Amino acid sequence: MPKQTARTILMVEPVAFGFNSQTAVNNFFQRKSELQNIVVQQQALSEFTLFVDKLRANDINVLVVKDTAEPHTPDSIFPNNWISFHEGGQAVLYPMFAPNRRMERRDEIIQFIENNGVGIQNVDNFAFWEEEGLFLEGTGSMVLDRENRIAYAALSERTSENVFLLFCSTFAYRPVAFSAMHSVDGRRVPVYHTNVVMSVASEYAVVCAESIDNQTERKNVLDLLSETGKEIITISEQQMNSFAGNMLQVENMQGQKFVVMSQRAFDSLNNRQVERLKFYNEIITVSIPTIEEIGGGSVRCMMAEIF
C-alpha cells in the first residue's frame, strides 16, 4: 500500500527569487515589493535556509539543490509544481502555465536526486500539453490521497480537467474535480492552486470548504474525505488567504509525523484547529513572509515529496 507521507523532501535553493509578473495574472496571493531585487533574494534565501535547518533539526531528510542564475526562474523555489515522485521510482513532469516557469524543469535536478540514492525508474512527461495551452501544475494543481488513490483538483487556468483526467487514468487515481473560489476586489475568482485550498494527511484533511461555492461539489469533497476515514478540519476563506490550507504532513527518518506550515498560517488558526492537528502530529512552523508575499506560495509549494 502506498504511503501518504514522505521521509525525503526535495527543495530548491533560490539564487534570483522575485516577483513573477507571468504568474501574477491568476495568482492573487502575490504582492509586488518596493524592495530592490537583491534585497528580496537575500531575504528569501535567509527564510529558505532557516526552513531547511528546522526540517533537518527534526531529522527530516532534505535534498537541497541550488538553482542557476540563468535561465532566470524567479519561482524555482516551488519545485512541486513541475515534478512529482511516486512509489516504485516513478517521476512525473508537468505542463506549466507561465513560460518562465517551464525552464525550471532541469535534467540535472533529476540526476542530483539519483546521485543521492533515489532510484528513478521511469519519468512520465506531460509537459507537451503546454503546446495545446493546457496545464497541470503537479501537486499544486492536485492534492493526492496516495493511500486511497484519490486525486482532488480545483480547476483553473493552471489545472486543465483534460490533463487531470489523463493523469488519473495513467496512474490509477480516482479524479475529484471541483471549483474553488475566493473574493478578490469584490468578485469571486478561481483559487490558482488546489494545495492552497486543502491538504490531505494520513489521518485528517484540512480544507477550506467555503471556497467551494457549488454546494453539490462541496458535499462531494467532504463526503469522500469522510468516507476515507479522514477527520475534516475546516478553515475559513480568511485563513486560506493566510496559507492555512498550504500545509504538508511529512515523516522524519524514525517515522515520526509532523505537519509543516508557515508561521502566518499557524497564527491564523484557532485553538481548536491547533488542538486537532497536534492530536495527530507535531507542528513545525517556519516564518517565510518574503516568499509568501512576493511568490504567492507557502511551505507546501516549497517541498516536493520523494517516495
Side-chain angles (χ1 to χ4, degrees), residues 139 172 187 226 250:
T139 53
R187 22 180 215 116
S226 293
V250 299

Side-chain angles (χ1 to χ4, degrees), residues 183-253:
S183 295
V184 177
D185 297 329
R187 22 180 215 116
R188 298 292 277 172
V189 298
V191 181
Y192 79 105
H193 273 163
T194 313
N195 73 3
V196 178
V197 177
M198 64 185 298
S199 175
V200 173
S202 292
E203 311 87 355
Y204 62 88
V206 176
V207 58
C208 181
E210 66 183 50
S211 72
I212 308 174
D213 292 349
N214 183 290
Q215 296 296 319
T216 301
E217 291 181 345
R218 181 189 299 185
K219 184 178 186 301
N220 185 40
V221 169
L222 295 178
D223 285 352
L224 194 51
L225 290 170
S226 293
E227 288 167 16
T228 50
K230 310 295 184 188
E231 176 179 348
I232 299 172
I233 302 171
T234 58
I235 58 172
S236 68
E237 186 173 320
Q238 185 176 6
Q239 290 173 320
M240 180 186 74
N241 291 337
S242 294
F243 293 107
N246 198 247
M247 60 179 72
L248 181 67
Q249 188 183 57
V250 299
E251 290 184 14
N252 68 8
M253 300 308 289

Side-chain angles (χ1 to χ4, degrees), residues 16-33:
F17 175 82
F19 182 81
N20 189 347
S21 59
Q22 293 185 17
T23 57
V25 297
N26 52 29
N27 178 349
F28 299 103
F29 293 81
Q30 291 178 240
R31 300 287 182 271
K32 199 163 189 176
S33 174

Side-chain angles (χ1 to χ4, degrees), residues 155-175:
L155 303 179
S156 70
E157 285 186 290
R158 303 200 192 183
T159 304
S160 159
E161 186 168 20
N162 288 343
V163 187
F164 172 58
L165 293 175
L166 177 62
F167 171 90
C168 290
S169 64
T170 302
F171 298 106
Y173 275 86
R174 175 180 173 180

Side-chain angles (χ1 to χ4, degrees), residues 41-58:
Q41 162 60 21
Q42 288 171 345
Q43 291 181 177
L45 179 58
S46 176
E47 293 170 8
F48 175 90
T49 302
L50 290 172
F51 186 2
V52 172
D53 289 347
K54 186 166 277 194
L55 291 175
R56 287 176 171 167
N58 286 283

